[in-house]
Amino acid sequence: MEETRKDEIELSLRKKYHKTIFSRFARAINHYQLVENGDHVAVFMEQGRNELILAKCFQEIKRHRKIDFEVDFFGLCREDDGKIVSIAEETGIPVRKIRSYGEIKEAGCNKVAVADCYEDVIETILAGVLYKGEISTLMPKEKGCGDRLELIRPFYLVHKQDLSEWNEEFGMMPEMTEIFLDQQKEIKHLLEEFGSINPGIAANIFKSVENVNLNTVIAYRTDTELHNFLKDYK
């Protein structure tokens, strides 16, 4: 029996891209507790090319039945979304057309998955230090996203290059021209320079927000107050 495009894509997640994409996707979900029993996750099939692979990863992890959750795929009722929806459905992703983001809450969803990846996290950390004078980053999950829906980032540990390679082979989505601000361009250039000096620098930037030693921090803030080292200094 001849393989369909849907079959080829699903096999790629079990073979060629299992280690680089699906395993890292599953690891992020488990490590950061992004999806739990009883959850209902929404994935938007929009202009970004990575939503297609994100949707297929969710279908694959649901097939494993280790977590009892639901997932639905949505597309806004816009003229320019016709091709995207058609491609998604061709690969076995049933897309529900909606007129506003508020409808996903009405569909029973409590979480929204977005396709931010490993490099997006690193760039945010570096931008915070260099341009805001603060240590901050994209979180694996955030509460209170749009009508109290929780936002999750299942590609948190997946590399942009691996997603790009998958898209070149299977994506079929129209390629979008990314527009970067000057600061974003500078951050990307710096990371390229760091990579040529020492390939481990990017990973250390990522780890830096997981290994914060508060005994060596002059001050840090929470939602309710500012903590200064002088408060407890004796």
Side-chain angles (χ1 to χ4, degrees):
M1 184 176 178
E2 185 179 353
E3 275 193 346
T4 65
R5 193 65 173 167
K6 172 180 176 293
D7 295 329
E8 292 176 354
I9 285 175
E10 291 174 356
L11 184 62
S12 77
L13 293 178
R14 298 165 195 163
K15 297 291 184 180
K16 183 175 181 179
Y17 293 96
H18 182 84
K19 182 177 180 181
T20 56
I21 294 180
F22 182 75
S23 288
R24 289 177 176 270
F25 164 86
R27 190 190 313 163
I29 282 182
N30 293 328
H31 184 67
Y32 299 113
Q33 300 176 11
L34 302 184
V35 180
E36 301 177 284
N37 290 332
D39 280 340
H40 192 163
V41 180
V43 179
F44 280 102
M45 306 307 300
E46 295 190 289
Q47 297 293 340
R49 300 181 76 201
N50 291 333
E51 277 79 9
L52 181 65
I53 176 62
L54 180 62
K56 296 307 294 185
C57 281
F58 267 108
Q59 287 184 326
E60 180 67 13
I61 202 168
K62 186 169 175 58
R63 186 183 69 84
H64 291 188
R65 298 183 178 179
K66 292 184 178 180
I67 307 173
D68 182 16
F69 76 101
E70 297 298 325
V71 59
D72 278 317
F73 312 100
F74 298 90
L76 289 175
C77 293
R78 297 187 302 213
E79 292 182 4
D80 58 348
D81 278 346
K83 185 175 182 180
I84 294 173
V85 171
S86 176
I87 290 172
E89 292 180 340
E90 180 185 341
T91 59
I93 301 169
V95 180
R96 299 175 58 175
K97 298 294 295 226
I98 59 176
R99 296 188 179 278
S100 70
Y101 292 108
E103 291 183 42
I104 65 172
K105 187 69 177 291
E106 297 174 9
C109 297
N110 67 315
K111 294 183 177 181
V112 178
V114 295
D116 296 321
C117 65
Y118 183 83
E119 281 73 19
D120 294 322
V121 177
I122 294 171
E123 290 174 14
T124 304
I125 297 170
L126 198 55
V129 172
L130 297 181
Y131 296 109
K132 296 181 181 179
E134 66 178 29
I135 297 175
S136 60
T137 189
L138 296 174
M139 298 297 287
K141 55 185 179 181
E142 299 176 21
K143 292 185 177 181
C145 164
D147 200 22
R148 298 186 178 277
L149 290 165
E150 186 175 5
L151 184 147
I152 60 174
R153 296 185 169 94
F155 280 166
Y156 206 78
L157 303 177
V158 180
H159 291 279
K160 184 171 292 185
Q161 180 60 37
D162 295 318
L163 293 172
S164 296
E165 290 179 6
W166 188 93
N167 274 310
E168 288 177 9
E169 190 169 357
F170 297 107
M172 300 187 294
M173 290 293 192
E175 186 170 0
M176 303 299 296
T177 300
E178 293 185 280
I179 300 175
F180 301 113
L181 300 175
D182 288 342
Q183 288 183 359
Q184 291 174 307
K185 292 178 182 178
E186 290 170 2
I187 292 296
K188 291 178 183 297
H189 178 70
L190 278 175
L191 287 171
E192 289 177 1
E193 290 291 315
F194 290 156
S196 65
I197 297 170
N198 183 340
I201 289 178
N204 285 335
I205 294 173
F206 183 93
K207 292 176 183 177
S208 68
V209 293
E210 295 183 338
N211 295 311
V212 177
N213 183 348
L214 293 181
N215 291 323
T216 62
V217 173
I218 292 176
Y220 67 95
R221 66 176 185 269
T222 63
D223 290 337
T224 57
E225 63 181 310
L226 176 69
H227 300 262
N228 190 290
F229 87 104
L230 292 174
K231 182 178 179 180
D232 299 316
Y233 187 81
K234 296 179 181 180

